[in-house]
């Protein structure tokens, strides 16, 4: 089983103690977001988890104790660093601070286990195509020696994104072409493997590789292990990743990113964060009367 710790919330930045405790105790409970009375239990042991995936916008809080997980498990890290400031990502450290943190992470786990995520790409009057390309070039120069690849995507215009960011300018085909071409040229200049995420668009003519950021071959090469040949069904429309299981919870991330897909309401997310108990096997709340706990299927891909 591939375990994902950060698709629904930033556990590494805000729930470090809980995450480390779950691995120390050897299991975790995950509430089904569609059927709230159903809870799945996953065993967090090396014989049950093929690889642990981390996704964060700030690894600084977990770095001092990250070895408690990396010493025992195969791992891969996605580090999101974008061009936006606190007007769009109020809870995220500065670009400079995150570059320094990524370098420290790379020293600990090795560059082959780190993917830099530059996503989602969105446009406003401030964040123009040229702004993105200029900022991306500066970041690429600094990050190239410390990463395995760079992954980007174009913003998905969900209803809540339209509400939270009315200033967004819709990306045209011309915009996407200019961005893909520019990113491809910058990647080539600094020797960075660049690919898309969650899109079926073909940008290979610009040196951009197709989607599929969580592929068994990527995880296998990073950890020097061999996986079975399996079809990657994807996790959503346009996704070509291997199936994985997330242990987080929606509406729990205090980062406050205006384009966030995982939070419906920032006030609710902040309330949930304040009510979080690091000792609970659930990220949010406790097992309630009437809840049903089932043992998760943890078939190995190895």
């Amino acid at each position: 089983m591939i375990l994902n710790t950060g698709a629904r919330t930033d556990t590494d930045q805000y729930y470090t103690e809980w995450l480390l405790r779950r691995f120390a105790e050897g299991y975790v409970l995950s509430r089904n977001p569609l059927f709230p009375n159903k809870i799945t239990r996953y065993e967090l042991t090396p014989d049950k988890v093929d690889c642990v995936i981390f996704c964060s916008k700030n690894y600084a809080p977990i770095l001092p104790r990250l070895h408690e997980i990396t010493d025992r498990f195969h791992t891969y890290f996605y580090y999101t660093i974008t061009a936006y400031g606190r007007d769009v990502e109020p809870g995220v450290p500065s670009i400079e601070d995150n570059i320094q943190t990524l370098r420290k992470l790379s020293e600990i786990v090795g560059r082959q286990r780190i993917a830099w995520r530059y996503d989602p790409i969105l446009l406003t009057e401030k964040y123009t195509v040229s702004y993105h390309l200029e900022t991306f070039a500066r970041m690429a120069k600094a990050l190239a020696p410390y990463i395995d690849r760079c992954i980007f995507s174009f913003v998905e215009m969900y209803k809540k994104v339209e509400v939270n960011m009315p200033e967004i300018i819709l990306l045209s085909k011309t915009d996407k072409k200019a961005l893909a071409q520019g990113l491809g040229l910058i990647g080539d200049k600094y020797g960075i493997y660049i690919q898309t995420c969650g899109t079926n668009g073909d940008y290979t003519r610009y040196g951009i590789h197709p989607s599929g950021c969580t592929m068994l071959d990527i995880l296998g090469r990073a950890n020097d292990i061999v996986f079975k040949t399996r079809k990657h069904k994807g996790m959503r429309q346009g996704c070509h990743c291997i199936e994985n299981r997330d242990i987080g919870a929606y509406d729990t991330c205090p980062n406050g990113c205006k384009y966030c897909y995982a939070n419906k309401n920032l006030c609710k997310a902040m309330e949930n964060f304040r009510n979080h108990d690091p000792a609970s096997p659930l990220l949010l709340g406790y097992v309630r009367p009437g809840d049903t706990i089932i043992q998760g299927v943890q078939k190995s891909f190895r």
Side-chain angles (χ1 to χ4, degrees):
M1 182 190 85
I2 307 299
L3 185 81
N4 195 324
T5 66
R8 296 173 181 167
T9 192
D10 199 331
T11 54
D12 301 294
Q13 181 171 3
Y14 295 105
Y15 302 99
T16 299
E17 180 62 35
W18 175 84
L19 186 64
L20 293 169
R21 186 177 297 205
R22 297 310 344 124
F23 277 95
E25 294 186 10
Y27 80 99
V28 66
L29 300 183
S30 178
R31 191 177 294 279
N32 189 313
L34 299 179
F35 303 96
N37 290 331
K38 294 184 178 180
I39 295 174
T40 303
R41 173 177 169 131
Y42 296 111
E43 307 305 317
L44 301 185
T45 54
D47 61 315
K48 294 293 185 180
V49 177
D50 296 323
C51 187
V52 182
I53 297 172
F54 298 83
C55 305
S56 179
K57 294 179 179 177
N58 179 15
Y59 281 94
I62 201 172
L63 284 187
R65 297 179 59 191
L66 187 60
H67 66 91
E68 295 176 25
I69 299 175
T70 57
D71 286 351
R72 301 173 57 217
F73 292 86
H74 299 299
T75 54
Y76 198 82
F77 299 80
Y78 298 90
Y79 203 141
T80 300
I81 311 178
T82 68
Y84 313 119
R86 293 188 179 275
D87 56 325
V88 177
E89 299 176 338
V92 178
S94 69
I95 291 174
E96 291 71 23
D97 286 346
N98 263 336
I99 287 175
Q100 292 303 316
T101 300
L102 186 146
R103 288 175 174 172
K104 293 176 183 177
L105 175 64
S106 186
E107 292 171 0
I108 294 171
V109 305
R111 62 176 295 183
Q112 77 279 6
R113 291 190 177 92
I114 302 177
W116 166 31
R117 295 192 66 101
Y118 186 83
D119 72 326
I121 296 178
L122 58 85
L123 300 182
T124 67
E125 289 187 3
K126 175 180 178 180
Y127 300 107
T128 61
V129 171
S130 60
Y131 187 102
H132 275 288
L133 295 180
E134 290 169 7
T135 307
F136 183 84
R138 175 166 57 89
M139 296 164 70
K141 181 179 180 181
L143 294 174
Y146 305 97
I147 59 173
D148 172 57
R149 64 192 58 224
C150 177
I151 301 163
F152 77 91
S153 69
F154 298 117
V155 67
E156 294 282 347
M157 290 304 295
Y158 296 115
K159 187 65 179 178
K160 57 186 173 183
V161 177
E162 294 179 8
V163 172
N164 292 334
M165 285 202 74
E167 67 269 30
I168 283 183
I169 299 171
L170 294 180
L171 284 155
S172 67
K173 290 184 179 180
T174 301
D175 293 328
K176 292 181 179 181
K177 175 182 175 181
L179 285 160
Q181 185 175 28
L183 296 179
L185 288 171
I186 295 167
D188 182 65
K189 179 178 180 179
Y190 294 108
I192 299 176
Y193 183 103
I194 299 185
Q195 66 178 94
T196 55
C197 170
T199 176
N200 289 320
D202 184 3
Y203 301 103
T204 54
R205 61 190 178 279
Y206 305 124
I208 306 296
H209 300 271
S211 294
C213 45
T214 306
M215 308 288 281
L216 290 180
D217 63 328
I218 296 173
L219 304 181
R221 283 197 305 272
N223 293 280
D224 195 23
I225 55 177
V226 179
F227 287 107
K228 301 173 184 176
T229 301
R230 291 180 59 97
K231 182 177 180 180
H232 292 55
K233 299 178 181 179
M235 303 297 289
R236 58 187 173 88
Q237 181 67 31
C239 176
H240 304 281
C241 296
I242 191 67
E243 60 184 283
N244 53 80
R245 298 290 177 262
D246 193 283
I247 59 173
Y250 294 117
D251 284 317
T252 58
C253 184
N255 272 332
C257 301
K258 294 176 71 175
Y259 55 76
C260 181
Y261 306 149
N263 281 351
K264 290 182 180 178
N265 185 289
L266 180 57
C267 291
K268 182 64 176 177
M270 296 301 294
E271 179 185 352
N272 287 335
F273 174 66
R274 289 191 294 269
N275 292 332
H276 165 72
D277 181 358
S280 173
L282 286 159
L283 180 72
L284 181 60
Y286 306 90
V287 177
R288 304 177 301 225
D291 284 340
T292 301
I293 301 177
I294 62 171
Q295 186 67 45
V297 177
Q298 296 183 248
K299 291 184 177 180
S300 177
F301 295 138
R302 296 185 65 180

